[in-house]
Amino acid sequence: MNRTLAMLPAVLKSGPALLLAVVLLAPGCREKSEEAPAKQVEYKGPIIETENVLMLVSDSAKLRIRLSAPLEQDFENGDQIFPKGVKLTFLDDKGETVVNTITGRYGKFEKAKNLYTMRGDVRVANVPKQQRMNTEEAFYDKTKATIYTQEQTEIRVTTPTEVLTGRGLTANQDFSRYRILTPTGIFTLQNAPTAGPASSTQK
């Protein structure tokens, strides 16, 4: 008992410093425990990637469109991206003969709009009529069955007899009929300029 009483002065001398340290540490521990949990980052990238894609689209049990691409990226909202290029092949009513093709170095399909976007050396070619269009960006609207570009996008149409240049174009799905919004030139095949259309101003 006497031994315990003898130790009390020593404990009391160091007590205030020890108590102060505990008081200072307590708020820090409380703040750490009350921190909000880390915010989760929503993943917006592709959920599936498929190589060497060949997709067939039928209408009334007849094959109408064939899509091929080196790589397809599928997203949760139903959109698709073709970062290595894409080719759409349109067939006749019997689903046997190729009537038109669209190719681009980059492609995107927006499910909500039912719309394909092609960019980079875009080529549209009607096989039976041997006429084609070259541009840097074009769209294919599946719902309206139309092909078109932005109004200021430069285009070049080549037929068996002449070359037409201009800005902006609308056409039907098989590219058998088309309209150049702003024509800028008509040339014979021999006198046509060799330079391709400039890149589209809209990305």
Side-chain angles (χ1 to χ4, degrees), residues 78-90:
D79 290 356
Q80 297 171 324
I81 288 181
F82 309 93
K84 296 183 178 181
V86 63
K87 179 179 182 180
L88 294 176
T89 302
F90 300 86

Side-chain angles (χ1 to χ4, degrees), residues 5-96:
L5 292 174
M7 294 175 61
L8 283 176
V11 173
L12 291 174
K13 289 180 180 179
S14 59
L18 180 61
L19 182 60
L20 178 60
V22 172
V23 171
L24 291 176
L25 286 173
C29 296
R30 185 167 56 254
E31 289 178 4
K32 186 174 182 180
S33 62
E34 292 177 356
E35 286 181 357
K39 184 178 180 181
Q40 294 184 350
V41 178
E42 182 181 359
Y43 176 70
K44 297 183 179 180
I47 56 175
I48 300 176
E49 287 191 343
T50 308
E51 295 182 338
N52 301 319
V53 175
L54 177 60
M55 183 170 62
L56 308 177
V57 181
S58 61
D59 181 14
S60 301
K62 295 179 180 179
L63 178 63
R64 295 295 176 88
I65 303 175
R66 184 169 62 227
L67 182 151
S68 57
L71 178 64
E72 175 185 291
Q73 296 176 329
D74 293 89
F75 293 77
E76 189 173 2
N77 62 356
D79 290 356
Q80 297 171 324
I81 288 181
F82 309 93
K84 296 183 178 181
V86 63
K87 179 179 182 180
L88 294 176
T89 302
F90 300 86
L91 306 175
D92 62 3
D93 292 339
K94 296 181 180 180
E96 299 174 354

Side-chain angles (χ1 to χ4, degrees), residues 3-202:
R3 183 181 300 175
T4 304
L5 292 174
M7 294 175 61
L8 283 176
V11 173
L12 291 174
K13 289 180 180 179
S14 59
L18 180 61
L19 182 60
L20 178 60
V22 172
V23 171
L24 291 176
L25 286 173
C29 296
R30 185 167 56 254
E31 289 178 4
K32 186 174 182 180
S33 62
E34 292 177 356
E35 286 181 357
K39 184 178 180 181
Q40 294 184 350
V41 178
E42 182 181 359
Y43 176 70
K44 297 183 179 180
I47 56 175
I48 300 176
E49 287 191 343
T50 308
E51 295 182 338
N52 301 319
V53 175
L54 177 60
M55 183 170 62
L56 308 177
V57 181
S58 61
D59 181 14
S60 301
K62 295 179 180 179
L63 178 63
R64 295 295 176 88
I65 303 175
R66 184 169 62 227
L67 182 151
S68 57
L71 178 64
E72 175 185 291
Q73 296 176 329
D74 293 89
F75 293 77
E76 189 173 2
N77 62 356
D79 290 356
Q80 297 171 324
I81 288 181
F82 309 93
K84 296 183 178 181
V86 63
K87 179 179 182 180
L88 294 176
T89 302
F90 300 86
L91 306 175
D92 62 3
D93 292 339
K94 296 181 180 180
E96 299 174 354
T97 305
V98 175
V99 295
N100 188 33
T101 61
I102 307 177
T103 60
R105 293 180 179 174
Y106 168 91
K108 180 180 181 180
F109 173 68
E110 296 176 80
K111 183 178 179 180
K113 299 179 181 179
N114 209 19
L115 180 72
Y116 281 94
T117 300
M118 309 283 200
R119 293 195 183 111
D121 191 21
V122 178
R123 303 181 184 188
V124 181
N126 179 288
V127 177
K129 290 194 172 186
Q130 298 182 8
Q131 62 188 22
R132 65 183 185 273
M133 178 189 71
N134 296 79
T135 187
E136 284 299 316
E137 181 183 64
F139 306 88
Y140 166 54
D141 189 322
K142 287 183 64 179
T143 303
K144 298 180 180 179
T146 57
I147 298 168
Y148 66 94
T149 72
Q150 299 288 352
E151 292 184 1
Q152 297 303 314
T153 300
E154 294 189 13
I155 59 94
R156 174 188 175 107
V157 175
T158 304
T159 73
T161 58
E162 60 188 6
V163 175
L164 302 92
T165 60
R167 291 187 297 274
L169 176 141
T170 60
N172 61 340
Q173 178 173 286
D174 61 14
F175 198 61
S176 60
R177 300 187 305 275
Y178 62 87
R179 180 171 70 92
I180 299 175
L181 303 183
T182 307
T184 57
I186 301 177
F187 308 90
T188 63
L189 295 178
Q190 293 76 18
N191 298 328
T194 57
S199 300
S200 169
T201 55
Q202 179 164 343

